[in-house]
Amino acid sequence: MKPRESLVRLKRFQVDEKRRRVTQIEMMIAEFTRVASDLDREIASEENRAGITDQSHFAYPTYAKAAAQRRDNLRRSADELLEQLSEAKSDMDAAAADLTKAEQLEDREQVRFRPAEPSRDQALFEAKAFTASSTVSF
């Protein structure tokens, strides 16, 4: 295996790894958002059941307080993940650019080391020369 081929394989692996990381972060954000929405519904349900919506009220349901705190933590985590997502996307773009450069270098190397094929005109010339030399008798 040529050094350029292994470089291209490495760059492809890096791009795939960055892409997986971006996908993983996106899935985590979606999951946190879904769970936070579920908690919103549970909090509303608990408040309706107790008839108290004021969190500072002494009889506010304990479960609703705990669920609200968990929901807020999930939202903060999702916001932090959004920052990580933008960094991961820029890393993925940079890795994709590196891959493109490595592929272009490999393509140039393959063209440079490919045996030169005779041009169509050269092939016709050689065919005519062969035909002319085979018809000449001594």
PDB file of all heavy atoms in Angstrom, residues 11-39:
ATOM      1  N   LYS A  11      -7.567   9.679   6.720  1.00  0.00           N
ATOM      2  CA  LYS A  11      -8.423  10.868   6.649  1.00  0.00           C
ATOM      3  C   LYS A  11      -9.891  10.469   6.556  1.00  0.00           C
ATOM      4  O   LYS A  11     -10.756  11.108   7.171  1.00  0.00           O
ATOM      5  CB  LYS A  11      -8.042  11.758   5.459  1.00  0.00           C
ATOM      6  CG  LYS A  11      -6.653  12.351   5.549  1.00  0.00           C
ATOM      7  CD  LYS A  11      -6.508  13.250   6.739  1.00  0.00           C
ATOM      8  CE  LYS A  11      -5.123  13.858   6.804  1.00  0.00           C
ATOM      9  NZ  LYS A  11      -4.958  14.703   7.972  1.00  0.00           N
ATOM     10  N   ARG A  12     -10.197   9.403   5.790  1.00  0.00           N
ATOM     11  CA  ARG A  12     -11.585   8.929   5.709  1.00  0.00           C
ATOM     12  C   ARG A  12     -12.070   8.462   7.076  1.00  0.00           C
ATOM     13  O   ARG A  12     -13.200   8.741   7.473  1.00  0.00           O
ATOM     14  CB  ARG A  12     -11.702   7.794   4.705  1.00  0.00           C
ATOM     15  CG  ARG A  12     -11.730   8.261   3.288  1.00  0.00           C
ATOM     16  CD  ARG A  12     -12.069   7.137   2.329  1.00  0.00           C
ATOM     17  NE  ARG A  12     -11.973   7.636   0.976  1.00  0.00           N
ATOM     18  CZ  ARG A  12     -11.267   7.074   0.012  1.00  0.00           C
ATOM     19  NH1 ARG A  12     -10.608   5.956   0.242  1.00  0.00           N
ATOM     20  NH2 ARG A  12     -11.228   7.616  -1.181  1.00  0.00           N
ATOM     21  N   PHE A  13     -11.211   7.747   7.781  1.00  0.00           N
ATOM     22  CA  PHE A  13     -11.568   7.283   9.119  1.00  0.00           C
ATOM     23  C   PHE A  13     -11.840   8.478  10.032  1.00  0.00           C
ATOM     24  O   PHE A  13     -12.806   8.475  10.806  1.00  0.00           O
ATOM     25  CB  PHE A  13     -10.452   6.411   9.700  1.00  0.00           C
ATOM     26  CG  PHE A  13     -10.707   5.989  11.112  1.00  0.00           C
ATOM     27  CD1 PHE A  13     -11.592   4.962  11.392  1.00  0.00           C
ATOM     28  CD2 PHE A  13     -10.061   6.629  12.161  1.00  0.00           C
ATOM     29  CE1 PHE A  13     -11.846   4.574  12.696  1.00  0.00           C
ATOM     30  CE2 PHE A  13     -10.303   6.241  13.469  1.00  0.00           C
ATOM     31  CZ  PHE A  13     -11.201   5.215  13.734  1.00  0.00           C
ATOM     32  N   GLN A  14     -10.996   9.497   9.964  1.00  0.00           N
ATOM     33  CA  GLN A  14     -11.178  10.676  10.806  1.00  0.00           C
ATOM     34  C   GLN A  14     -12.487  11.381  10.482  1.00  0.00           C
ATOM     35  O   GLN A  14     -13.203  11.811  11.391  1.00  0.00           O
ATOM     36  CB  GLN A  14      -9.997  11.632  10.645  1.00  0.00           C
ATOM     37  CG  GLN A  14      -8.725  11.110  11.275  1.00  0.00           C
ATOM     38  CD  GLN A  14      -7.519  11.975  10.976  1.00  0.00           C
ATOM     39  OE1 GLN A  14      -7.522  12.797  10.055  1.00  0.00           O
ATOM     40  NE2 GLN A  14      -6.456  11.782  11.754  1.00  0.00           N
ATOM     41  N   VAL A  15     -12.814  11.506   9.198  1.00  0.00           N
ATOM     42  CA  VAL A  15     -14.078  12.144   8.804  1.00  0.00           C
ATOM     43  C   VAL A  15     -15.253  11.324   9.322  1.00  0.00           C
ATOM     44  O   VAL A  15     -16.221  11.884   9.870  1.00  0.00           O
ATOM     45  CB  VAL A  15     -14.169  12.329   7.272  1.00  0.00           C
ATOM     46  CG1 VAL A  15     -15.568  12.714   6.838  1.00  0.00           C
ATOM     47  CG2 VAL A  15     -13.165  13.367   6.806  1.00  0.00           C
ATOM     48  N   ASP A  16     -15.188  10.011   9.172  1.00  0.00           N
ATOM     49  CA  ASP A  16     -16.263   9.152   9.670  1.00  0.00           C
ATOM     50  C   ASP A  16     -16.420   9.281  11.178  1.00  0.00           C
ATOM     51  O   ASP A  16     -17.538   9.316  11.697  1.00  0.00           O
ATOM     52  CB  ASP A  16     -16.023   7.694   9.284  1.00  0.00           C
ATOM     53  CG  ASP A  16     -16.172   7.443   7.800  1.00  0.00           C
ATOM     54  OD1 ASP A  16     -16.777   8.300   7.108  1.00  0.00           O
ATOM     55  OD2 ASP A  16     -15.680   6.401   7.319  1.00  0.00           O
ATOM     56  N   GLU A  17     -15.311   9.341  11.875  1.00  0.00           N
ATOM     57  CA  GLU A  17     -15.355   9.482  13.338  1.00  0.00           C
ATOM     58  C   GLU A  17     -15.974  10.819  13.738  1.00  0.00           C
ATOM     59  O   GLU A  17     -16.807  10.873  14.651  1.00  0.00           O
ATOM     60  CB  GLU A  17     -13.931   9.364  13.897  1.00  0.00           C
ATOM     61  CG  GLU A  17     -13.864   9.205  15.377  1.00  0.00           C
ATOM     62  CD  GLU A  17     -14.499   7.928  15.875  1.00  0.00           C
ATOM     63  OE1 GLU A  17     -14.478   6.907  15.159  1.00  0.00           O
ATOM     64  OE2 GLU A  17     -15.036   7.943  16.998  1.00  0.00           O
ATOM     65  N   LYS A  18     -15.616  11.883  13.051  1.00  0.00           N
ATOM     66  CA  LYS A  18     -16.198  13.208  13.347  1.00  0.00           C
ATOM     67  C   LYS A  18     -17.691  13.209  13.025  1.00  0.00           C
ATOM     68  O   LYS A  18     -18.489  13.787  13.760  1.00  0.00           O
ATOM     69  CB  LYS A  18     -15.492  14.304  12.541  1.00  0.00           C
ATOM     70  CG  LYS A  18     -14.010  14.403  12.724  1.00  0.00           C
ATOM     71  CD  LYS A  18     -13.625  14.959  14.050  1.00  0.00           C
ATOM     72  CE  LYS A  18     -12.105  15.099  14.105  1.00  0.00           C
ATOM     73  NZ  LYS A  18     -11.643  15.450  15.406  1.00  0.00           N
ATOM     74  N   ARG A  19     -18.057  12.558  11.933  1.00  0.00           N
ATOM     75  CA  ARG A  19     -19.472  12.475  11.553  1.00  0.00           C
ATOM     76  C   ARG A  19     -20.279  11.708  12.610  1.00  0.00           C
ATOM     77  O   ARG A  19     -21.377  12.108  12.983  1.00  0.00           O
ATOM     78  CB  ARG A  19     -19.613  11.810  10.189  1.00  0.00           C
ATOM     79  CG  ARG A  19     -21.008  11.884   9.619  1.00  0.00           C
ATOM     80  CD  ARG A  19     -21.061  11.351   8.198  1.00  0.00           C
ATOM     81  NE  ARG A  19     -20.316  12.229   7.317  1.00  0.00           N
ATOM     82  CZ  ARG A  19     -19.362  11.838   6.476  1.00  0.00           C
ATOM     83  NH1 ARG A  19     -19.034  10.567   6.363  1.00  0.00           N
ATOM     84  NH2 ARG A  19     -18.734  12.701   5.705  1.00  0.00           N
ATOM     85  N   ARG A  20     -19.692  10.616  13.118  1.00  0.00           N
ATOM     86  CA  ARG A  20     -20.358   9.854  14.188  1.00  0.00           C
ATOM     87  C   ARG A  20     -20.523  10.711  15.440  1.00  0.00           C
ATOM     88  O   ARG A  20     -21.547  10.656  16.112  1.00  0.00           O
ATOM     89  CB  ARG A  20     -19.567   8.585  14.518  1.00  0.00           C
ATOM     90  CG  ARG A  20     -19.823   7.445  13.566  1.00  0.00           C
ATOM     91  CD  ARG A  20     -19.203   6.146  14.067  1.00  0.00           C
ATOM     92  NE  ARG A  20     -17.753   6.136  13.994  1.00  0.00           N
ATOM     93  CZ  ARG A  20     -17.060   5.771  12.918  1.00  0.00           C
ATOM     94  NH1 ARG A  20     -17.693   5.393  11.836  1.00  0.00           N
ATOM     95  NH2 ARG A  20     -15.751   5.794  12.921  1.00  0.00           N
ATOM     96  N   ARG A  21     -19.523  11.483  15.751  1.00  0.00           N
ATOM     97  CA  ARG A  21     -19.584  12.364  16.933  1.00  0.00           C
ATOM     98  C   ARG A  21     -20.690  13.402  16.770  1.00  0.00           C
ATOM     99  O   ARG A  21     -21.454  13.645  17.709  1.00  0.00           O
ATOM    100  CB  ARG A  21     -18.225  13.036  17.136  1.00  0.00           C
ATOM    101  CG  ARG A  21     -18.179  13.998  18.285  1.00  0.00           C
ATOM    102  CD  ARG A  21     -18.128  13.282  19.606  1.00  0.00           C
ATOM    103  NE  ARG A  21     -18.004  14.275  20.666  1.00  0.00           N
ATOM    104  CZ  ARG A  21     -18.650  14.208  21.802  1.00  0.00           C
ATOM    105  NH1 ARG A  21     -19.420  13.192  22.073  1.00  0.00           N
ATOM    106  NH2 ARG A  21     -18.506  15.151  22.704  1.00  0.00           N
ATOM    107  N   VAL A  22     -20.788  14.002  15.600  1.00  0.00           N
ATOM    108  CA  VAL A  22     -21.846  14.981  15.347  1.00  0.00           C
ATOM    109  C   VAL A  22     -23.219  14.325  15.492  1.00  0.00           C
ATOM    110  O   VAL A  22     -24.113  14.869  16.144  1.00  0.00           O
ATOM    111  CB  VAL A  22     -21.679  15.625  13.945  1.00  0.00           C
ATOM    112  CG1 VAL A  22     -22.928  16.385  13.526  1.00  0.00           C
ATOM    113  CG2 VAL A  22     -20.472  16.546  13.926  1.00  0.00           C
ATOM    114  N   THR A  23     -23.372  13.160  14.918  1.00  0.00           N
ATOM    115  CA  THR A  23     -24.642  12.438  15.001  1.00  0.00           C
ATOM    116  C   THR A  23     -24.971  12.095  16.448  1.00  0.00           C
ATOM    117  O   THR A  23     -26.120  12.234  16.885  1.00  0.00           O
ATOM    118  CB  THR A  23     -24.582  11.153  14.154  1.00  0.00           C
ATOM    119  OG1 THR A  23     -24.266  11.512  12.807  1.00  0.00           O
ATOM    120  CG2 THR A  23     -25.892  10.409  14.188  1.00  0.00           C
ATOM    121  N   GLN A  24     -23.978  11.665  17.191  1.00  0.00           N
ATOM    122  CA  GLN A  24     -24.186  11.311  18.596  1.00  0.00           C
ATOM    123  C   GLN A  24     -24.646  12.533  19.400  1.00  0.00           C
ATOM    124  O   GLN A  24     -25.579  12.437  20.201  1.00  0.00           O
ATOM    125  CB  GLN A  24     -22.894  10.754  19.180  1.00  0.00           C
ATOM    126  CG  GLN A  24     -23.001  10.313  20.623  1.00  0.00           C
ATOM    127  CD  GLN A  24     -21.662   9.819  21.151  1.00  0.00           C
ATOM    128  OE1 GLN A  24     -20.603  10.272  20.716  1.00  0.00           O
ATOM    129  NE2 GLN A  24     -21.714   8.914  22.097  1.00  0.00           N
ATOM    130  N   ILE A  25     -24.015  13.668  19.188  1.00  0.00           N
ATOM    131  CA  ILE A  25     -24.399  14.885  19.904  1.00  0.00           C
ATOM    132  C   ILE A  25     -25.819  15.301  19.526  1.00  0.00           C
ATOM    133  O   ILE A  25     -26.621  15.676  20.389  1.00  0.00           O
ATOM    134  CB  ILE A  25     -23.385  16.020  19.638  1.00  0.00           C
ATOM    135  CG1 ILE A  25     -22.036  15.682  20.278  1.00  0.00           C
ATOM    136  CG2 ILE A  25     -23.898  17.351  20.176  1.00  0.00           C
ATOM    137  CD1 ILE A  25     -20.913  16.627  19.910  1.00  0.00           C
ATOM    138  N   GLU A  26     -26.133  15.226  18.229  1.00  0.00           N
ATOM    139  CA  GLU A  26     -27.493  15.575  17.789  1.00  0.00           C
ATOM    140  C   GLU A  26     -28.538  14.668  18.431  1.00  0.00           C
ATOM    141  O   GLU A  26     -29.612  15.137  18.842  1.00  0.00           O
ATOM    142  CB  GLU A  26     -27.592  15.505  16.266  1.00  0.00           C
ATOM    143  CG  GLU A  26     -26.845  16.608  15.562  1.00  0.00           C
ATOM    144  CD  GLU A  26     -26.792  16.436  14.052  1.00  0.00           C
ATOM    145  OE1 GLU A  26     -26.985  15.308  13.558  1.00  0.00           O
ATOM    146  OE2 GLU A  26     -26.544  17.442  13.372  1.00  0.00           O
ATOM    147  N   MET A  27     -28.226  13.389  18.528  1.00  0.00           N
ATOM    148  CA  MET A  27     -29.158  12.448  19.155  1.00  0.00           C
ATOM    149  C   MET A  27     -29.325  12.755  20.644  1.00  0.00           C
ATOM    150  O   MET A  27     -30.442  12.684  21.183  1.00  0.00           O
ATOM    151  CB  MET A  27     -28.690  11.010  18.942  1.00  0.00           C
ATOM    152  CG  MET A  27     -28.864  10.535  17.519  1.00  0.00           C
ATOM    153  SD  MET A  27     -28.179   8.897  17.140  1.00  0.00           S
ATOM    154  CE  MET A  27     -28.531   7.928  18.556  1.00  0.00           C
ATOM    155  N   MET A  28     -28.240  13.117  21.303  1.00  0.00           N
ATOM    156  CA  MET A  28     -28.320  13.455  22.728  1.00  0.00           C
ATOM    157  C   MET A  28     -29.167  14.708  22.937  1.00  0.00           C
ATOM    158  O   MET A  28     -29.990  14.763  23.859  1.00  0.00           O
ATOM    159  CB  MET A  28     -26.919  13.648  23.305  1.00  0.00           C
ATOM    160  CG  MET A  28     -26.137  12.363  23.433  1.00  0.00           C
ATOM    161  SD  MET A  28     -24.401  12.596  23.899  1.00  0.00           S
ATOM    162  CE  MET A  28     -24.558  13.335  25.511  1.00  0.00           C
ATOM    163  N   ILE A  29     -28.991  15.705  22.097  1.00  0.00           N
ATOM    164  CA  ILE A  29     -29.778  16.932  22.200  1.00  0.00           C
ATOM    165  C   ILE A  29     -31.257  16.612  22.012  1.00  0.00           C
ATOM    166  O   ILE A  29     -32.106  17.090  22.772  1.00  0.00           O
ATOM    167  CB  ILE A  29     -29.297  17.989  21.187  1.00  0.00           C
ATOM    168  CG1 ILE A  29     -27.917  18.505  21.566  1.00  0.00           C
ATOM    169  CG2 ILE A  29     -30.297  19.140  21.078  1.00  0.00           C
ATOM    170  CD1 ILE A  29     -27.250  19.369  20.518  1.00  0.00           C
ATOM    171  N   ALA A  30     -31.562  15.803  21.010  1.00  0.00           N
ATOM    172  CA  ALA A  30     -32.955  15.433  20.755  1.00  0.00           C
ATOM    173  C   ALA A  30     -33.539  14.674  21.944  1.00  0.00           C
ATOM    174  O   ALA A  30     -34.693  14.921  22.348  1.00  0.00           O
ATOM    175  CB  ALA A  30     -33.055  14.593  19.486  1.00  0.00           C
ATOM    176  N   GLU A  31     -32.766  13.776  22.517  1.00  0.00           N
ATOM    177  CA  GLU A  31     -33.244  13.001  23.673  1.00  0.00           C
ATOM    178  C   GLU A  31     -33.468  13.907  24.882  1.00  0.00           C
ATOM    179  O   GLU A  31     -34.483  13.797  25.571  1.00  0.00           O
ATOM    180  CB  GLU A  31     -32.243  11.889  24.010  1.00  0.00           C
ATOM    181  CG  GLU A  31     -32.633  11.044  25.188  1.00  0.00           C
ATOM    182  CD  GLU A  31     -33.870  10.197  24.954  1.00  0.00           C
ATOM    183  OE1 GLU A  31     -34.286  10.017  23.794  1.00  0.00           O
ATOM    184  OE2 GLU A  31     -34.437   9.712  25.951  1.00  0.00           O
ATOM    185  N   PHE A  32     -32.533  14.807  25.154  1.00  0.00           N
ATOM    186  CA  PHE A  32     -32.694  15.727  26.279  1.00  0.00           C
ATOM    187  C   PHE A  32     -33.919  16.614  26.089  1.00  0.00           C
ATOM    188  O   PHE A  32     -34.655  16.874  27.042  1.00  0.00           O
ATOM    189  CB  PHE A  32     -31.446  16.599  26.453  1.00  0.00           C
ATOM    190  CG  PHE A  32     -30.253  15.875  27.011  1.00  0.00           C
ATOM    191  CD1 PHE A  32     -29.049  16.536  27.183  1.00  0.00           C
ATOM    192  CD2 PHE A  32     -30.303  14.531  27.358  1.00  0.00           C
ATOM    193  CE1 PHE A  32     -27.936  15.886  27.698  1.00  0.00           C
ATOM    194  CE2 PHE A  32     -29.192  13.862  27.873  1.00  0.00           C
ATOM    195  CZ  PHE A  32     -28.016  14.555  28.044  1.00  0.00           C
ATOM    196  N   THR A  33     -34.127  17.076  24.872  1.00  0.00           N
ATOM    197  CA  THR A  33     -35.289  17.916  24.582  1.00  0.00           C
ATOM    198  C   THR A  33     -36.582  17.135  24.774  1.00  0.00           C
ATOM    199  O   THR A  33     -37.558  17.652  25.342  1.00  0.00           O
ATOM    200  CB  THR A  33     -35.193  18.460  23.144  1.00  0.00           C
ATOM    201  OG1 THR A  33     -33.954  19.164  23.004  1.00  0.00           O
ATOM    202  CG2 THR A  33     -36.340  19.392  22.823  1.00  0.00           C
ATOM    203  N   ARG A  34     -36.591  15.891  24.334  1.00  0.00           N
ATOM    204  CA  ARG A  34     -37.787  15.055  24.488  1.00  0.00           C
ATOM    205  C   ARG A  34     -38.093  14.802  25.955  1.00  0.00           C
ATOM    206  O   ARG A  34     -39.230  14.943  26.406  1.00  0.00           O
ATOM    207  CB  ARG A  34     -37.602  13.725  23.761  1.00  0.00           C
ATOM    208  CG  ARG A  34     -38.848  12.831  23.779  1.00  0.00           C
ATOM    209  CD  ARG A  34     -38.554  11.425  23.289  1.00  0.00           C
ATOM    210  NE  ARG A  34     -37.615  10.705  24.120  1.00  0.00           N
ATOM    211  CZ  ARG A  34     -37.911  10.171  25.310  1.00  0.00           C
ATOM    212  NH1 ARG A  34     -39.108  10.285  25.816  1.00  0.00           N
ATOM    213  NH2 ARG A  34     -36.983   9.517  25.994  1.00  0.00           N
ATOM    214  N   VAL A  35     -37.079  14.465  26.741  1.00  0.00           N
ATOM    215  CA  VAL A  35     -37.274  14.196  28.168  1.00  0.00           C
ATOM    216  C   VAL A  35     -37.727  15.468  28.893  1.00  0.00           C
ATOM    217  O   VAL A  35     -38.607  15.419  29.758  1.00  0.00           O
ATOM    218  CB  VAL A  35     -35.996  13.597  28.804  1.00  0.00           C
ATOM    219  CG1 VAL A  35     -36.121  13.497  30.312  1.00  0.00           C
ATOM    220  CG2 VAL A  35     -35.698  12.233  28.206  1.00  0.00           C
ATOM    221  N   ALA A  36     -37.156  16.621  28.527  1.00  0.00           N
ATOM    222  CA  ALA A  36     -37.558  17.885  29.144  1.00  0.00           C
ATOM    223  C   ALA A  36     -39.034  18.183  28.835  1.00  0.00           C
ATOM    224  O   ALA A  36     -39.771  18.653  29.712  1.00  0.00           O
ATOM    225  CB  ALA A  36     -36.669  19.023  28.654  1.00  0.00           C
ATOM    226  N   SER A  37     -39.462  17.887  27.619  1.00  0.00           N
ATOM    227  CA  SER A  37     -40.876  18.079  27.263  1.00  0.00           C
ATOM    228  C   SER A  37     -41.773  17.143  28.072  1.00  0.00           C
ATOM    229  O   SER A  37     -42.850  17.547  28.540  1.00  0.00           O
ATOM    230  CB  SER A  37     -41.096  17.838  25.773  1.00  0.00           C
ATOM    231  OG  SER A  37     -40.397  18.779  25.024  1.00  0.00           O
ATOM    232  N   ASP A  38     -41.327  15.902  28.231  1.00  0.00           N
ATOM    233  CA  ASP A  38     -42.090  14.952  29.057  1.00  0.00           C
ATOM    234  C   ASP A  38     -42.199  15.459  30.495  1.00  0.00           C
ATOM    235  O   ASP A  38     -43.261  15.371  31.124  1.00  0.00           O
ATOM    236  CB  ASP A  38     -41.435  13.570  29.050  1.00  0.00           C
ATOM    237  CG  ASP A  38     -41.553  12.851  27.717  1.00  0.00           C
ATOM    238  OD1 ASP A  38     -42.358  13.303  26.864  1.00  0.00           O
ATOM    239  OD2 ASP A  38     -40.827  11.842  27.528  1.00  0.00           O
ATOM    240  N   LEU A  39     -41.108  15.992  31.012  1.00  0.00           N
ATOM    241  CA  LEU A  39     -41.123  16.521  32.376  1.00  0.00           C
ATOM    242  C   LEU A  39     -42.048  17.726  32.488  1.00  0.00           C
ATOM    243  O   LEU A  39     -42.726  17.895  33.518  1.00  0.00           O
ATOM    244  CB  LEU A  39     -39.708  16.869  32.833  1.00  0.00           C
ATOM    245  CG  LEU A  39     -38.800  15.678  33.131  1.00  0.00           C
ATOM    246  CD1 LEU A  39     -37.359  16.129  33.354  1.00  0.00           C
ATOM    247  CD2 LEU A  39     -39.305  14.914  34.339  1.00  0.00           C
TER     248      LEU A  39
END
